[in-house]
Amino acid sequence: MSSGYDPIIAVAGIGYVGLSIAVLLAQRHKVYAVDVLPEKVDLINKKMSPFVDKEIEARLATGRLKLTATLDASTAYGNADFVVIATPTDYDPDQNSFDTSTVERVIGQVMGINPAASIVIKSTVPVGFTETVRKKTGKGTVFFCPEFLREGKALYDNLYPSRIIIGIDESDEKLTEKARIFAELLRECANKKDAEILFMNSTEAEAVKLFANTYLALRVSFFNELDTYAEMQRLNARRIIEGVCGDPRIGAHYNNPSFGYGGYCLPKDTRQLLANYGDIPQKLIRAVVESNGTRKDFIAGQILRKVGLYLEANSFPDQGGKRKTTVGVYRLAMKQGSDNFRHGAIQDVVESIQSKGAATILYEPALSDGERFCNSLVVNDLSKFKAESDVIIANRYDSSLDDVREKLYTRDIFGRD
């Protein structure tokens, strides 16, 4: 790529993935960030982030980015050399697959507005999707570039990428050249200039994304099941985990017990990979999916046990009518430093204990005091929340709970994700 090349880039979707890639590239190149929500567009044009990510917030605040957020897809796509698609692809249980309608809609818009633009799919899609789209639409310059980002650290992970993966039709020289240009754009805008670029066909790249996240879910599930064993056998889970992870082949990452894996990516990506297997022999992938449900059921049971012990110790009738124990739920976000609590495992746990008759209140500063969420009253006065909670549950511990340890249930051992 020549040093004088200065493409215009449009990014469809201003979520974690879309905004982080837009901010990354806008350090050097003109970028349009397109979304359907006016409030997101307004915040970005005011140099503010619509979600918590310290790196994104800092870069926006400088005012030095070549970034314009817009609702006008026609102008954005019409001027673009590359259109990056980062729209949501939620898992549809009825179809047993990701809902790729937003991705397909953007592809159709781009083809109608600016057929010369190259399309980069960043949204997570089923294995084989990109090749199918190329054949179905006849659009040659469409390729897949998976993201490997953490919520709350999305821009940091773009600035210091572990690797850059590009999925193409390797027999298409024009597509390959466009993909190489885009890969170099990502690397030149990153702080880590020697990030490895791996080219493969698009179906292999789609598989990389799903297998990578399923492996992370596998690690979470493994250490959660270790923790379940330790808790049931009255063993010290921390000592066991540290002993296991002292082996450098295993390592001390993704080993902190939790209420289950959650967030936007792992639950849906594991289910999509399982669906992609179809009739291919497997047991492990299904076990990863099912293990998460088993863990959440176990956690709910342990919480109810703690509730029962509380009732017994305080001479209150269990489920009997005179008094219900109030379970306080401390925060919903799955990751520290994130304000996103979509598909959080703790929400499933809360629903489970409510179904058994437990009353719940919620401390979540990302919500408004006094509103209701997850069938719980939001109480954001922390002192009041502690006082009104007979038992408190927390997926991730915080030092603000030091004074209520005697009524706290958490499986957070290491104080990190």
Side-chain angles (χ1 to χ4, degrees):
M1 183 177 66
S2 66
S3 59
Y5 183 61
D6 188 17
I8 295 174
I9 300 143
V11 178
I14 312 179
Y16 282 94
V17 176
L19 185 55
S20 64
I21 199 74
V23 170
L24 176 81
L25 295 171
Q27 295 175 112
R28 297 193 177 201
H29 306 286
K30 177 60 183 175
V31 176
Y32 292 95
V34 184
D35 205 276
V36 297
L37 297 177
E39 56 269 27
K40 280 189 176 182
V41 169
D42 290 343
L43 281 171
I44 292 166
N45 287 332
K46 292 175 182 176
K47 319 301 181 190
M48 299 168 64
S49 175
F51 48 78
V52 175
D53 187 304
K54 291 181 180 179
E55 289 280 355
I56 288 177
E57 292 165 3
R59 300 293 169 119
L60 286 172
T62 66
R64 294 195 294 268
L65 299 174
K66 300 178 181 180
L67 176 63
T68 301
T70 181
L71 300 168
D72 183 4
S74 296
T75 298
Y77 302 158
N79 292 325
D81 298 289
F82 292 94
V83 176
V84 181
I85 302 177
T87 55
T89 51
D90 295 329
Y91 189 83
D92 184 343
D94 294 329
Q95 298 296 321
N96 201 26
S97 179
F98 290 146
D99 179 357
T100 58
S101 58
T102 60
V103 178
E104 295 170 56
R105 188 177 307 121
V106 174
I107 292 173
Q109 289 176 326
V110 175
M111 290 181 65
I113 296 167
N114 181 6
S118 297
I119 296 175
V120 186
I121 299 175
K122 274 280 184 184
S123 302
T124 306
V125 294
V127 177
F129 175 82
T130 304
E131 182 179 352
T132 299
V133 163
R134 281 168 50 82
K135 290 178 179 178
K136 180 179 177 181
T137 64
K139 173 68 174 171
T141 50
V142 180
F143 57 93
F144 181 67
C145 178
E147 51 83 15
F148 305 98
L149 310 177
R150 296 167 292 174
E151 291 179 4
K153 296 184 178 180
L155 180 55
Y156 179 91
D157 291 338
N158 269 313
L159 291 167
Y160 299 93
S162 56
R163 72 282 202 205
I164 297 169
I165 292 179
I166 305 290
I168 55 174
D169 177 349
E170 296 169 287
S171 67
D172 188 324
E173 293 184 4
K174 181 180 179 182
L175 174 63
T176 299
E177 177 58 24
K178 292 288 187 180
R180 289 188 183 279
I181 290 171
F182 185 77
E184 289 298 336
L185 290 175
L186 295 179
R187 188 155 64 177
E188 75 170 10
C189 291
N191 291 351
K192 183 181 177 182
K193 303 299 183 185
D194 59 349
E196 184 177 15
I197 299 174
L198 301 173
F199 288 91
M200 59 191 71
N201 71 51
S202 59
T203 302
E204 291 164 344
E206 290 159 350
V208 166
K209 171 64 176 178
L210 296 185
F211 274 103
N213 272 353
T214 300
Y215 176 74
L216 295 178
L218 168 66
R219 279 197 63 111
V220 173
S221 297
F222 178 87
F223 287 103
N224 278 344
E225 291 204 357
L226 183 161
D227 180 66
T228 295
Y229 180 86
E231 191 169 10
M232 291 299 291
Q233 297 295 327
R234 299 184 180 181
L235 303 174
N236 188 313
R238 182 183 190 119
R239 291 175 180 173
I240 299 172
I241 292 172
E242 288 177 339
V244 169
C245 295
D247 187 327
R249 296 170 299 178
I250 297 174
H253 57 280
Y254 270 70
N255 67 349
N256 192 26
S258 66
F259 289 177
Y261 64 75
Y264 184 62
C265 294
L266 297 192
K268 73 185 186 81
D269 290 4
T270 52
R271 293 173 73 186
Q272 178 63 65
L273 182 60
L274 178 60
N276 271 119
Y277 260 83
D279 295 330
I280 299 171
Q282 58 78 30
K283 286 188 180 292
L284 184 60
I285 308 304
R286 182 176 301 279
V288 172
V289 174
E290 293 178 351
S291 173
N292 203 41
T294 299
R295 174 64 172 184
K296 288 184 283 190
D297 289 344
F298 170 76
I299 291 295
Q302 292 297 95
I303 292 167
L304 290 170
R305 180 175 177 273
K306 189 173 181 68
V307 167
L309 291 173
Y310 175 85
L311 288 167
E312 182 180 333
N314 292 277
S315 300
F316 294 128
D318 185 6
Q319 312 291 330
K322 288 188 178 179
R323 189 186 191 282
K324 269 188 178 180
T325 304
T326 298
V327 178
V329 182
Y330 181 82
R331 304 302 307 267
L332 295 174
M334 289 299 300
K335 294 180 177 290
Q336 292 179 337
S338 171
D339 61 348
N340 180 28
F341 41 81
R342 292 176 298 179
H343 309 290
I346 195 170
Q347 294 184 47
D348 293 330
V349 171
V350 170
E351 183 177 333
S352 181
I353 64 173
Q354 287 172 342
S355 71
K356 302 298 184 182
T360 57
I361 59 174
L362 171 63
Y363 177 80
E364 179 49 72
L367 299 171
S368 299
D369 188 78
E371 72 170 291
R372 296 194 69 84
F373 189 86
C374 286
N375 200 29
S376 306
L377 178 68
V378 177
V379 179
N380 280 341
D381 180 322
L382 187 55
S383 296
K384 181 180 179 183
F385 167 80
K386 291 176 182 178
E388 293 185 359
S389 301
D390 299 313
V391 173
I392 294 175
I393 63 173
N395 183 56
R396 286 293 174 248
Y397 186 74
D398 186 88
S399 59
S400 65
L401 300 174
D402 284 349
D403 60 331
V404 288
R405 279 183 176 271
E406 75 285 349
K407 58 182 178 181
L408 177 69
Y409 181 82
T410 183
R411 298 310 300 158
D412 183 358
I413 291 174
F414 298 107
R416 54 171 167 75
D417 293 326

